[in-house]
Amino acid sequence: MNLRQDVHTAGIPVLCQACEARHRGVCGALDSDQLVALAKASSKQTIEPGAELVGDMETVDHYSNVLAGVVKLTKTLSDGRQQIVGLQFAPDFLGRPFKTESAVNAEAATNVSLCSFPKAAIERMMKQSPELENRLLRQTLKELDEARDWMLTLGRKTASEKVASFLLLIANHIDPTLDEGEEKVTFDLPLTRADIADFLGLTIETVSRQFTKLRADGVISIENNRHVTVARRERLEARAGR
Amino acid sequence: MNLRQDVHTAGIPVLCQACEARHRGVCGALDSDQLVALAKASSKQTIEPGAELVGDMETVDHYSNVLAGVVKLTKTLSDGRQQIVGLQFAPDFLGRPFKTESAVNAEAATNVSLCSFPKAAIERMMKQSPELENRLLRQTLKELDEARDWMLTLGRKTASEKVASFLLLIANHIDPTLDEGEEKVTFDLPLTRADIADFLGLTIETVSRQFTKLRADGVISIENNRHVTVARRERLEARAGR
DNA sequence: GGCGCCAATTGACCTGGATCAAGAACCAGA
DNA sequence: TCTGGTTCTTGATCCAGGTCAATTGGCGCC
């Protein structure tokens, strides 16, 4: 985590080396001239939980890479009902090419650090570099796959399956290296109960009750409301539905 | 509709002119040499409702353009619960670049006519033509926007809001020219009640009851279970939630 | 026309998750 | 260490939508 910050604060135009290392950032697609140009235009910023990054219907003038933390993408009905339609983890790209207005609200769920570029700079480079466009296409396809997976969860799973699915999703994102295998996993929840409810299409009370049930059944334990230990991942997977 | 078939049966390498005319097909991105090559490799096919186009987890060896009809993309849990995660209308592109296996099931909802190409041919052209990749990126972004819109519907809307949203979605797709304005609209439902239920995350009984209610309230009328007339679109919109 | 089949509707009842209302735990600041 | 606000949990009740069970309607076929 500190490594990433160093890359940026050092002021050297190796911008987004960290993103590249994780194989999904957009900057690795550029040649060194382009990188220098982009480095000049880019800026790193740190954001507090709850801060709004991009307002719904707002004109967007920059794109960003998530360097650390979790960003939630939400949609809201006029009466206040809210749904989280996506979670962006490092090193995801943030922004909607080819549209000036965002259809979603982007908000920091945890402390977030971002590297952002003016919209115009990225769009200029997209025209020059097909490789950059290719990366954006891959990331977009990945997000589409994730969105469709989640539609199955939202439309057809029960509350307890939803909560189990959510925990697995977080577990897999926090440390993708131990994806398979590893029976026991530990992580901090990046979302509050209210956020989790908005992600799952449930109420906070239902989420809380499901956590209680999982605790009672010895599947997980929770300390300080955030720090989760999954005792037996296989049992969570069984509950998540296949 | 017959126009499109003529383009293909005529055997002339102006393949997918029809797609191009609708501004979203992929073929317009190619130069004439490429079009000739693609025309040789492509084949037009007509498919009956209910026929499976792409099985879940199946290896995919071709991509297609939807020329007419509606294709449903579904996901299914092991116990049979099903969710429609996308509807593809003409001239949408069908296929998942950069992956050999499909994560969804594709099935004809109505009579469908397709123009399909071998995977390899498209992928070769994608490398040559950045314009083609650009079109795929735009289509994918559009699908992502639609998926996220639908997540809000699945997670947070009531049954009656869901049904109203669905009717508007179909109405807007059937004839996009009369998008705004036009108080009265008429169209054939491309989906059965069971399909609609799977799209909305409801049961057929609930869908049916909501239709009955809309009929009783004079918002719509239905003939032969498929032919829908929306009497007052504005009232539907009010019910769909904003 | 009558018959069989499947899709859609309708009704009666049940239940998972929402709602409403207290508490308990957590945490920041003094 | 207390104190006040926020977040989380727990309990009691309610209701939208699911489940189960007929009935009706559309349509092709004999």
Side-chain angles (χ1 to χ4, degrees):
Chain A
M1 203 161 293
N2 273 317
L3 269 177
R4 283 196 203 104
Q5 299 196 357
D6 291 341
V7 169
H8 284 266
T9 50
I12 309 166
V14 281
L15 190 72
C16 289
Q17 203 170 53
C19 315
E20 169 59 1
R22 299 269 232 118
H23 296 298
R24 278 216 321 275
V26 295
C27 308
L30 304 170
D31 66 33
S32 60
D33 281 357
Q34 290 174 317
L35 275 179
V36 173
L38 196 56
K40 281 185 190 141
S42 80
S43 65
K44 197 203 155 216
Q45 40 190 300
T46 311
I47 283 138
E48 301 278 290
E52 192 179 74
L53 305 178
V54 182
D56 185 18
M57 291 293 104
E58 214 172 74
T59 306
V60 183
D61 58 349
H62 61 276
Y63 294 133
S64 315
N65 270 330
V66 179
L67 301 180
V70 179
V71 174
K72 49 183 181 162
L73 306 179
T74 64
K75 284 185 171 257
T76 310
L77 293 169
S78 53
D79 62 3
R81 282 174 288 170
Q82 201 174 50
Q83 177 67 45
I84 293 184
V85 297
L87 290 177
Q88 307 285 94
F89 297 81
D92 288 344
F93 180 79
L94 216 60
R96 170 61 164 93
F98 313 127
K99 268 205 172 174
T100 48
E101 297 195 339
S102 172
V104 298
N105 225 294
E107 191 180 316
T110 62
N111 279 309
V112 168
S113 77
L114 288 182
C115 171
S116 40
F117 333 94
K119 201 163 187 290
I122 289 283
E123 280 170 358
R124 198 174 336 111
M125 289 189 191
M126 258 180 58
K127 283 188 188 128
Q128 293 164 12
S129 162
E131 171 64 16
L132 177 57
E133 205 159 87
N134 184 278
R135 292 200 175 216
L136 281 175
L137 177 54
R138 284 170 192 269
Q139 148 122 8
T140 307
L141 283 164
K142 186 202 63 136
E143 284 180 35
L144 182 58
D145 287 346
E146 288 169 357
R148 285 179 170 163
D149 265 348
W150 212 248
M151 286 173 75
L152 177 62
T153 301
L154 285 174
R156 290 304 187 191
K157 289 191 186 172
T158 64
S160 75
E161 290 169 330
K162 285 179 176 181
V163 170
S165 301
F166 167 74
L167 288 172
L168 286 171
L169 183 145
I170 299 298
N172 291 337
H173 260 290
I174 291 307
D175 192 348
T177 57
L178 46 78
D179 242 357
E180 305 300 321
E182 294 301 329
E183 192 56 18
K184 208 161 179 169
V185 203
T186 288
F187 53 86
D188 281 349
L189 284 177
L191 303 184
T192 65
R193 299 294 187 276
D195 286 337
I196 298 171
D198 283 348
F199 191 41
L200 297 172
L202 298 171
T203 59
I204 51 175
E205 293 93 332
T206 300
V207 171
S208 180
R209 279 185 251 270
Q210 294 303 330
F211 276 154
T212 304
K213 193 173 294 177
L214 286 171
R215 247 185 280 116
D217 297 353
V219 180
I220 61 169
S221 62
I222 307 182
E223 288 159 49
N224 295 340
N225 284 337
R226 301 193 82 90
H227 195 70
V228 176
T229 304
V230 178
R232 309 198 64 204
R233 181 199 285 234
E234 140 234 348
R235 282 210 259 161
L236 251 197
E237 275 161 5
R239 285 171 198 239
R242 282 293 101 188
Chain B
M1 205 161 292
N2 273 317
L3 268 177
R4 284 197 202 103
Q5 299 195 357
D6 291 340
V7 169
H8 285 265
T9 51
I12 310 166
V14 283
L15 190 73
C16 290
Q17 202 170 56
C19 316
E20 169 59 0
R22 298 270 233 118
H23 296 297
R24 279 217 318 277
V26 295
C27 308
L30 303 171
D31 65 33
S32 60
D33 281 357
Q34 291 174 317
L35 275 179
V36 173
L38 196 58
K40 280 183 192 144
S42 81
S43 65
K44 198 205 154 215
Q45 40 189 302
T46 311
I47 283 139
E48 301 278 291
E52 193 179 73
L53 305 178
V54 182
D56 185 16
M57 291 294 104
E58 214 173 74
T59 306
V60 183
D61 58 351
H62 62 276
Y63 295 132
S64 315
N65 270 331
V66 179
L67 301 180
V70 179
V71 174
K72 49 181 179 163
L73 306 179
T74 63
K75 283 183 171 260
T76 310
L77 292 170
S78 53
D79 62 3
R81 281 175 289 171
Q82 200 174 52
Q83 176 67 44
I84 294 184
V85 297
L87 291 177
Q88 307 285 95
F89 298 81
D92 288 345
F93 181 79
L94 215 60
R96 169 60 163 94
F98 312 126
K99 267 206 174 172
T100 48
E101 298 194 338
S102 172
V104 299
N105 226 295
E107 192 180 317
T110 63
N111 280 309
V112 168
S113 76
L114 288 182
C115 172
S116 42
F117 332 95
K119 202 163 186 291
I122 289 283
E123 280 171 357
R124 198 173 337 110
M125 289 190 191
M126 256 179 60
K127 284 188 189 129
Q128 292 164 13
S129 161
E131 171 66 14
L132 177 56
E133 204 160 88
N134 184 278
R135 288 198 178 219
L136 281 175
L137 176 54
R138 283 169 192 270
Q139 149 123 6
T140 307
L141 284 164
K142 186 203 62 139
E143 284 180 33
L144 182 57
D145 287 345
E146 288 169 357
R148 287 179 169 163
D149 265 348
W150 212 249
M151 287 174 75
L152 177 63
T153 301
L154 286 174
R156 291 304 187 192
K157 290 191 185 173
T158 64
S160 76
E161 289 169 332
K162 285 178 177 182
V163 170
S165 301
F166 166 75
L167 288 172
L168 286 172
L169 183 144
I170 299 298
N172 291 336
H173 260 290
I174 292 308
D175 192 348
T177 56
L178 46 78
D179 242 356
E180 305 300 321
E182 294 302 327
E183 192 57 17
K184 209 162 179 172
V185 203
T186 288
F187 53 87
D188 282 349
L189 284 177
L191 303 184
T192 65
R193 300 293 188 275
D195 286 337
I196 298 170
D198 282 349
F199 191 40
L200 298 173
L202 298 171
T203 60
I204 51 176
E205 292 94 332
T206 300
V207 171
S208 180
R209 278 185 251 269
Q210 294 303 330
F211 276 154
T212 303
K213 193 172 294 177
L214 285 171
R215 246 186 280 116
D217 295 354
V219 181
I220 61 169
S221 61
I222 307 184
E223 289 159 47
N224 296 339
N225 285 338
R226 302 194 80 90
H227 194 71
V228 176
T229 304
V230 177
R232 308 198 65 202
R233 179 199 284 232
E234 140 234 346
R235 281 210 259 162
L236 252 197
E237 275 161 4
R239 283 171 200 239
R242 281 293 101 190

